[in-house]
Amino acid sequence: MRIKFLCLFILCSEIVIFVDGLMANNTGVCVVPRSVQKTRTKKYKTRINKYCGARKCLVTKTKTETYKVTKNESVCCEGWKYDSNSDICSPYCSMGCNGGRCVEPEVCQCDPPAFLDPKHKNTCVTPTCEPPCENGICVGFNMCTCSEGYTNMNGKCKPKCENCANGECISPDNCECHNGYIKTDGVCNPACVGCENGVCTAPNTCKCNEGFIKNDTNNNCYKPCPKNCKRCDIDGICQDGLCE
Ligand SMILES: *[C@@H]1O[C@H](CO)[C@@H](O)[C@H](O)[C@H]1NC(C)=O
Ligand SMILES: *[C@@H]1O[C@H](CO)[C@@H](O)[C@H](O)[C@H]1NC(C)=O
Ligand SMILES: *[C@@H]1O[C@H](CO)[C@@H](O)[C@H](O)[C@H]1NC(C)=O
């Protein structure tokens, strides 16, 4: 049955190839019964018109007769072709697979980022991105997938940084602080000259701690000397009237 069906194809001889090495359990291998005609000679006895005594004589003659034997054989299934180089059945794509591989009968597979053209199932197309993807790969029409360490922002792959407030992420996990900021403990903090006993709240903006006032000469904060006191120590405690 199977053979008759296969032989309806013009390429019958190409499709039906019997190979001993094919394992029945391999992909693309089908086991089919095949009838072969054989001949053998058979002896038989017959009477001839000659008398041996009262009866006709019996002589032994031979004739050839044909008979059929059915054998199971491994063939490449429909849609598969024998590949003599590797001795396996390979899937066959009748239209070819431009830019890709035939992975199942009439099924092409493309290597990413190339994908199967929806209109021509035997053609792989490579997506195009304009402008080209920077720090990523083009996976579809104007669609970029960003490389590791980069994230998509407004269609562009920008480097990612853990915490880059007051700075600019110039490459993955590499934050460059804006002018007026300095990196302390991995984050960009405003930088101030001086600012002892105070908090630097913005570049060169020092807010003195409670009870301190600013020395505009060195930008440090100090405890002011109480009024009417001539001499104070560094903590603003009046030293007037104390023994030297
Ligand atoms: C296929 O069958 C053969 C013999 O029965 C066996 O040795 C082999 O391991 C099988 N292969 C697979 C992939 O099952
Ligand atoms: C052929 O295969 C069929 C189905 O697997 C089995 O029943 C039959 O015995 C096989 N015949 C021979 C000659 O091996
Ligand atoms: C202010 O800073 C200047 C320069 O360091 C210093 O000479 C001066 O004594 C400071 N003034 C006060 C009130 O601390």
Side-chain angles (χ1 to χ4, degrees), residues 2-112:
R2 180 92 189 171
I3 299 168
K4 271 189 203 155
F5 174 65
L6 287 174
C7 286
L8 293 177
F9 290 91
I10 300 161
L11 297 175
C12 167
S13 60
E14 257 187 281
I15 293 170
V16 183
I17 298 171
F18 299 95
V19 186
D20 286 340
L22 286 175
M23 287 287 196
N25 54 1
N26 282 353
T27 38
V29 177
C30 288
V31 174
V32 294
R34 188 170 70 132
S35 303
V36 245
Q37 271 209 342
K38 292 199 169 182
T39 53
R40 61 187 166 200
T41 53
K42 202 176 177 186
K43 287 182 177 160
Y44 65 100
K45 291 193 165 137
T46 187
R47 290 176 203 279
I48 51 166
N49 280 333
K50 206 175 159 193
Y51 288 90
C52 301
R55 306 165 129 217
K56 284 188 175 170
C57 283
L58 273 182
V59 291
T60 303
K61 284 191 169 177
T62 58
K63 66 173 180 188
T64 45
E65 62 174 21
T66 58
Y67 65 104
K68 278 184 181 172
V69 270
T70 306
K71 285 190 349 185
N72 283 341
E73 287 183 289
S74 299
V75 296
C76 290
C77 303
E78 194 192 336
W80 297 70
K81 267 193 145 182
Y82 181 64
D83 178 354
S84 55
N85 289 330
S86 43
D87 192 29
I88 55 164
C89 295
S90 305
Y92 180 64
C93 294
S94 56
M95 307 280 284
C97 283
N98 301 319
R101 280 164 292 116
C102 186
V103 290
E104 272 177 56
E106 305 300 348
V107 177
C108 293
Q109 195 177 67
C110 308
D111 290 317

Side-chain angles (χ1 to χ4, degrees), residues 95-171:
M95 307 280 284
C97 283
N98 301 319
R101 280 164 292 116
C102 186
V103 290
E104 272 177 56
E106 305 300 348
V107 177
C108 293
Q109 195 177 67
C110 308
D111 290 317
F115 59 90
L116 216 51
D117 184 341
K119 289 189 217 104
H120 305 99
K121 293 290 190 191
N122 68 329
T123 303
C124 295
V125 286
T126 305
T128 53
C129 292
E130 199 54 53
C133 297
E134 243 182 274
N135 304 317
I137 52 164
C138 187
V139 292
F141 179 70
N142 283 353
M143 255 172 58
C144 299
T145 289
C146 297
S147 311
E148 204 176 320
Y150 292 82
T151 185
N152 201 317
M153 280 171 67
N154 304 323
K156 288 190 170 177
C157 293
K158 299 282 186 190
K160 266 193 296 188
C161 289
E162 193 75 359
N163 182 357
C164 196
N166 301 320
E168 193 189 337
C169 189
I170 53 168
S171 61

